[in-house]
Amino acid sequence: MKAAIFKEIEHIEVEDIAKPVCDADGMLVNVKACGLCGGDIRNYHNGLKGGVTNQIMGHEVAGVVEKVGPQVTRFAVGDRVAIAPDVSCGHCFYCKRGRGNLCVDHRMIGTHWPGGFAQYLHLPQVILEHGMVHHIPDGLSFDDATLAEPASSVLASQMNAGVGLGDTVLIIGDGPIGCLHVEVARANGAAKVILAGKKRLQMVSAFAPDALIDSTTQDLVSEVLRLTNSLGADVAICANARTSSQELAVESVRKRGKVILFGGVPKTAPMTTLNSNLIHYNELTIMGAFSYPAYINEMALSILCAQKITASKYISKIVSLENIVAEGIKAAEAGEVLKVVVNPWL
């Protein structure tokens, strides 16, 4: 089979490798589509967790079950499945409390196991038991199903922050994650959704935020205060990989407002500087947001199928394994596309 293999930082090669063998308690999936995530792009430039190399990345996977081991009963040959990356241990302090995303032995497809930038993906027993593998609802395409993974993170973060009726929500970042936050905030009942960005403002206008801020020409904090009668946003979501956005978010929320640090930043430069007096005197809440429980991933698939999140607006480009870097990563970084999907059979 063909696979795009991450050899080392900024070096991916497409190779012909052996098709995985299906274990007696495992499952073999024919990969039909795999989304290119902002995390994949960050890892391409900075390396995988733990310094892992010679690995197949890709963790927003949709495909068809090609083979199941005799011990597998939940899936059958021909089933359409969506696969999310997180795999927990199931028995640690966090797992027992329904927080598998915080598992002390948290592992991921695309880092600890081969991912979806390949024609076939083998799922061993531990992934089938402690990972996230769900049936794709009828009527939802493989390409659209790949959006369930990032949508799940967005849904979980806003649920944790209690985004709701009447809120003014500021979203900093005009990539696909920012757009997902727009749709989810509106579905949660937000009264005003403000999106700030730099590269894709024309593309994100299709999602009809109530206000757009061009961070290249406008002062973000001043604009937010103007749009909120000097009050500030109820919630600010940092939907990009820049610590500077976190600093601006703290200055853009009202007293007792919430800031969600959604986008992971490069591991080589993780430190940020926040105005601690604003946090202290304004009683702000600063929240991290990482991943989601399995039931939210299943919920995301249903929401996509019901078109409450309009998947067709996101996918701008479909590329082959050979063109992940040249046409996928480069186009995403240049702001030429919103969401890239990899088809390993092209």
Side-chain angles (χ1 to χ4, degrees):
M1 71 170 186
K2 287 200 304 182
I5 301 174
F6 174 80
K7 294 292 187 177
E8 58 185 357
I9 290 176
E10 297 184 342
H11 184 194
I12 291 176
E13 287 186 12
V14 177
E15 297 181 358
D16 285 311
I17 63 174
K19 182 178 175 180
V21 175
C22 186
D23 296 336
D25 52 6
M27 185 166 82
L28 185 66
V29 176
N30 181 318
V31 178
K32 298 300 185 183
C34 185
L36 178 65
C37 174
D40 293 322
I41 297 173
R42 191 167 61 249
N43 290 337
Y44 171 74
H45 289 298
N46 298 285
L48 291 168
K49 184 177 180 181
V52 171
T53 57
N54 293 303
Q55 182 60 286
I56 301 169
M57 296 199 303
H59 58 262
E60 301 173 354
V61 188
V64 177
V65 176
E66 175 136 328
K67 188 174 183 179
V68 296
Q71 298 176 26
V72 176
T73 58
R74 191 159 62 99
F75 299 98
V77 172
D79 284 355
R80 301 186 326 127
V81 293
I83 303 156
D86 298 53
V87 182
S88 60
C89 72
H91 55 75
C92 73
F93 176 91
Y94 299 102
C95 287
K96 286 181 178 179
R97 287 157 179 81
R99 300 292 181 183
N101 59 308
L102 303 179
C103 174
V104 297
D105 189 30
H106 178 269
R107 291 175 288 174
M108 297 184 72
I109 294 171
T111 298
H112 302 94
W113 292 274
F117 292 158
Q119 292 175 324
Y120 293 95
L121 172 64
H122 179 254
L123 303 177
Q125 180 187 29
V126 64
I127 293 178
L128 294 180
E129 289 188 355
H130 298 296
M132 301 187 198
V133 186
H134 298 293
H135 291 92
I136 298 174
D138 292 341
L140 186 63
S141 72
F142 292 115
D143 289 345
D144 290 354
T146 65
L147 202 65
E149 198 286 320
S152 298
S153 291
V154 170
L155 288 165
S157 68
Q158 292 201 25
M159 288 173 67
N160 289 338
V163 175
L165 289 173
D167 281 347
T168 293
V169 180
L170 166 66
I171 300 155
I172 307 176
D174 56 2
I177 292 296
C179 296
L180 282 166
H181 274 294
V182 170
E183 289 203 279
V184 172
R186 183 163 287 121
N188 282 330
K192 182 177 289 186
V193 181
I194 304 167
L195 188 141
K198 294 182 177 182
K199 295 180 179 179
R200 303 180 180 91
L201 290 180
Q202 185 172 359
M203 279 186 273
V204 302
S205 63
F207 296 89
D210 297 290
L212 280 171
I213 298 174
D214 185 342
S215 299
T216 62
T217 60
Q218 296 174 289
D219 181 84
L220 187 149
V221 177
S222 296
E223 280 299 301
V224 172
L225 293 176
R226 183 184 67 81
L227 291 163
T228 59
N229 295 318
S230 300
L231 190 64
D234 296 289
V235 182
I237 303 170
C238 303
N240 58 25
R242 291 188 289 274
T243 56
S244 58
S245 297
Q246 300 170 1
E247 299 166 15
L248 292 171
V250 167
E251 298 179 18
S252 300
V253 292
R254 63 166 175 80
K255 293 179 179 181
R256 297 200 66 108
K258 297 175 183 177
V259 174
I260 304 175
L261 307 185
F262 185 94
V265 301
K267 64 182 181 180
T268 53
M271 303 306 291
T272 189
T273 302
L274 305 180
N275 187 327
S276 62
N277 270 337
L278 282 178
I279 296 170
H280 169 63
Y281 289 109
N282 290 352
E283 296 189 349
L284 305 185
T285 299
I286 313 298
M287 306 180 64
F290 172 68
S291 195
Y292 44 84
Y295 81 91
I296 289 185
N297 186 237
E298 193 167 25
M299 180 195 303
L301 287 163
S302 297
I303 289 171
L304 283 161
C305 189
Q307 297 187 19
K308 301 299 183 183
I309 294 174
T310 49
S312 60
K313 291 184 179 180
Y314 292 85
I315 300 171
S316 309
K317 196 175 189 68
I318 298 175
V319 303
S320 65
L321 293 173
E322 289 83 0
N323 288 317
I324 286 175
V325 176
E327 294 186 11
I329 292 176
K330 300 301 182 185
E333 290 181 323
E336 298 170 357
V337 296
L338 198 56
K339 186 68 177 176
V340 176
V341 169
V342 178
N343 181 338
W345 297 96
L346 289 178

